[in-house]
């Protein structure tokens, strides 16, 4: 927890720029969540400029939610520039199991780029790992999630894998962590997974460790979700819940994280 | 009304996936409204994958609001896959009368695809029917709306035409219905027409009759609008109104629909 | 101030259509802000139709936030059609200093088109004027802003330059004005600059003088920001702040502008 609190404080000092090549549905949410979490968002995807732009940024978030061939090519260009300049990349392989095109794109990104953090739901991660092929963006109910395969995958790819679900699971192949924060209502508005990836981008953009950043972002989004849920008294007021989620993220504090964060790291409970 | 209530309950059971190839302005609103209404949204428009993706969906919503040649081609591919797999299509011919390109695209979609429901405002529908050419996305004030021509068009195209306005009018060429729910403020925020199309998509995606789905969606958006309007006391607080609209849709119930729905079907008032 | 109040009232009479070719991140915000400010938004960017569509509009807003080669070409076509038909253009050169591509695009637009108002932050304007090259979308802290160079630039280009910052500065090369309204929190949500450009578009679309429109829009967004800030008691509740911003804009009145507007024009304080 000490490390998480230090990571959180560092974000405020660095105020990192997080570049996104992301999906068209949740761009606005990701931009506002990046700001709420203490970063500054940038979004551009023209092949003519992404490499030049990326060099001025602190992190790069790639999201395949509404991927096209053009956007894929821009991601490759931006990703290579990021790697060359030591700028960490977060990959959100949205609905990777839904189509052959989407699978090919994500595999090509993983092949060509060094990714600091891969963030997905259980079915997306299982698809990447090679265990299952998911239906779409939502978590398959009857999915068998294989933590050991995920650890082996993270180890092989030298990346952190952050799996979102009722309990979030993070691993870099060596360390493992679970985050118990969050509410089911987070999956009843669009884009909370995308926003989580943005918050991870804020963390790695601030120079924090990738594993810590994934865990911290899960805790932050989780606590914000719990606070928003309390604000609507658990009623399904999804419009208000969404507004409150941004309020809660924007007023996040070390005190809240310390008091409300519920994480297990390597079996040790905090 | 019995049929509408049964349709509403069925949505909750089926939890349909609604794929959108829609406009860039209101994508996020449509995704969140789909969730609020009881479905799950999917949005992708790469020609490489839309056919494969559509086969996993329950309905397809096409919206020409920010149409391009590429998006048009993706709509044709997705629409044909939908037709081949018995997946109902909702078409929202946004601003069809505004340009020759937009008219050509919409006519080509209508020619190539079996559309379950066409949803537009009066000027858009009159343009499709061949009576007038509208200026843009808003309802022309002095428009003569010709119900008989719309009925003949619906009959010829074997589709349901849902016309939004102060009073919504639906017809499949044989049956007619009017929905009196709604408030003028719904036209003072962007995307309520697009969101209505999404909610129709949720209905047909649940396996409900297309005519019933159009009517139910009008009632649901109308009641949600009335509830949101009451929440702002009729003041022009458009930000709050919009949040409340999502709250009201997400907490919609059979009881509310039964108590507040104001519809005429074939002259019989409910 | 009299002129501003008259301009504000004229918007309500004209209810102008404002066409946007804008960035993908804030399209929805710009559409809703256009409505809140008394206009109607239109957004389309297909090269096949923008010229035809523009002729039905009252103003055109161009924003290079997520510019691509395709969008640039659409802007040129739309801009030329606007110029030929006497439809005023507002240009928002987002992050013009960030890349060579972005600079080239903006210079080409300025070269090819008569622009009524250029709206940017200080670093963007300094880049256009040739004094500095900014890092991105945010105001550089240590930037030397050179009002005389901006005046000379406005004069040469026969345009109004509106520079956003802690104090907004407007000039047409001859007249100068400062707007002191606004709060720092406006820069903590995405898109307030884009929305300001939309509100300027509403003003010029209503037939108001370009200089007055820039000043009025700054006052309106500034007052709305102050009201939203008061509504959250100065707490960093960014979700609620954003909702309140739309509420405040939608309930703007001549009385509020008169009572709360804080402007200097040519040294005279109002």
């Amino acid at each position: 927890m000490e490390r998480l609190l230090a990571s959180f404080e560092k974000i405020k000092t660095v105020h990192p720029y997080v570049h996104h090549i992301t999906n068209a549905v949740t761009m606005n949410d990701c931009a506002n969540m990046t700001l709420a979490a203490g970063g500054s968002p940038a979004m551009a995807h023209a092949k003519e400029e992404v490499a030049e732009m990326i060099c001025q940024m602190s992190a790069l978030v790639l999201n395949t939610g509404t991927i096209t061939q053009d956007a894929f090519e821009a991601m490759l260009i931006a990703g290579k520039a990021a790697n060359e300049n030591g700028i960490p990349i977060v990959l959100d392989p949205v609905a990777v199991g839904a189509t052959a095109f989407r699978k090919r794109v994500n595999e090509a990104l993983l092949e060509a780029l060094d990714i600091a953090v891969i963030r997905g739901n259980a079915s997306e991660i299982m698809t990447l790992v090679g265990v299952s092929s998911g239906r779409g963006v939502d978590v398959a109910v009857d999915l068998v999630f294989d933590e050991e395969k995920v650890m082996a995958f993270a180890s092989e790819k030298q990346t952190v894998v952050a799996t979102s679900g009722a309990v979030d699971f993070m691993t870099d192949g060596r360390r493992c962590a679970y985050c118990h924060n969050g509410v089911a209502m987070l999956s009843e508005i669009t884009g909370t997974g995308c926003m989580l990836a943005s918050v991870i981008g804020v963390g790695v953009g601030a120079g924090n460790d990738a594993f810590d950043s994934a865990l911290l972002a899960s805790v932050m989004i989780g606590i914000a979700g719990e606070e928003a849920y309390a604000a609507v008294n658990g009623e399904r007021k999804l419009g208000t819940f969404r507004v409150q989620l941004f309020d809660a993220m924007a007023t996040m504090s070390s005190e809240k994280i310390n008091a409300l964060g519920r994480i297990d790291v390597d079996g040790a409970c905090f």
Side-chain angles (χ1 to χ4, degrees), chain A residues 16-81:
Chain A
Y17 272 74
V18 182
H19 193 91
H20 293 70
I21 302 181
T22 187
N23 76 66
V25 185
T26 64
M27 286 178 100
N28 188 275
D29 289 336
C30 289
N32 275 315
M33 192 51 80
T34 299
L35 284 157
S40 272
M43 296 191 174
H45 52 269
K47 280 176 273 189
E48 292 87 347
E49 68 170 359
V50 282
E52 186 181 354
M53 193 170 262
I54 238 57
C55 302
Q56 307 163 50
M57 301 290 155
S58 317
L60 172 63
V61 175
L62 305 177
N63 173 310
T64 61
T66 54
I67 191 75
T68 57
Q69 182 64 29
D70 265 0
F72 166 56
E73 289 167 19
M75 287 182 184
L76 275 183
I77 296 169
K80 282 174 185 167

Side-chain angles (χ1 to χ4, degrees), chain A residues 45 80 94 100 114 140 150 192 222 254:
Chain A
H45 52 269
K80 282 174 185 167
V94 178
D114 290 328
V150 176
T192 48
S254 290

Side-chain angles (χ1 to χ4, degrees), chain A residues 20-260:
Chain A
H20 293 70
I21 302 181
T22 187
N23 76 66
V25 185
T26 64
M27 286 178 100
N28 188 275
D29 289 336
C30 289
N32 275 315
M33 192 51 80
T34 299
L35 284 157
S40 272
M43 296 191 174
H45 52 269
K47 280 176 273 189
E48 292 87 347
E49 68 170 359
V50 282
E52 186 181 354
M53 193 170 262
I54 238 57
C55 302
Q56 307 163 50
M57 301 290 155
S58 317
L60 172 63
V61 175
L62 305 177
N63 173 310
T64 61
T66 54
I67 191 75
T68 57
Q69 182 64 29
D70 265 0
F72 166 56
E73 289 167 19
M75 287 182 184
L76 275 183
I77 296 169
K80 282 174 185 167
N83 278 171
E84 281 162 19
N85 289 277
I87 294 157
I89 303 176
V90 179
L91 173 65
D92 193 343
V94 178
V96 56
T99 67
F101 174 66
R102 211 160 267 257
K103 205 167 174 201
R104 203 162 61 235
V105 160
N106 276 288
E107 285 172 352
L109 291 172
L110 280 172
E111 183 66 30
L113 305 175
D114 290 328
I115 307 289
V117 183
I118 303 170
R119 193 237 51 105
N121 62 37
S123 81
E124 288 158 359
I125 298 301
M126 284 297 95
T127 300
L128 283 187
V129 170
V131 173
S132 102
S133 75
R135 178 190 177 198
V137 295
D138 289 319
V139 183
V141 180
D142 56 355
L143 184 79
V144 178
F145 188 78
D146 187 331
E147 289 187 5
E148 290 197 7
K149 284 227 166 92
V150 176
M151 289 181 71
F153 179 81
S155 200
E156 181 205 328
K157 297 283 184 188
Q158 294 187 280
T159 189
V160 170
V161 178
T163 311
S164 308
V167 176
D168 294 343
F169 170 69
M170 272 125 289
T171 183
D172 62 359
R174 191 173 51 83
R175 293 172 289 175
C176 286
Y178 301 86
C179 171
H180 300 274
N181 291 105
V183 291
M185 198 174 275
L186 283 167
S187 64
E188 297 191 62
I189 59 172
T190 198
T192 48
C194 309
M195 295 184 231
L196 175 57
S198 292
V199 180
I200 297 173
V202 170
V204 294
N208 293 323
D209 173 72
F211 181 77
D212 292 351
S213 295
L215 185 53
L216 175 62
S218 281
V219 169
M220 288 169 75
I221 289 273
I223 291 175
E226 292 166 8
E227 201 171 319
Y229 188 76
V232 297
N233 296 311
E235 291 176 70
R236 197 172 183 259
K237 296 183 173 174
L238 298 181
T240 301
F241 176 76
R242 185 164 163 253
V243 172
Q244 293 288 329
L245 185 70
F246 286 95
D247 280 4
M249 180 60 79
T251 54
M252 191 61 57
S253 66
S254 290
E255 291 69 30
K256 279 190 196 172
I257 293 170
N258 197 32
L260 303 173

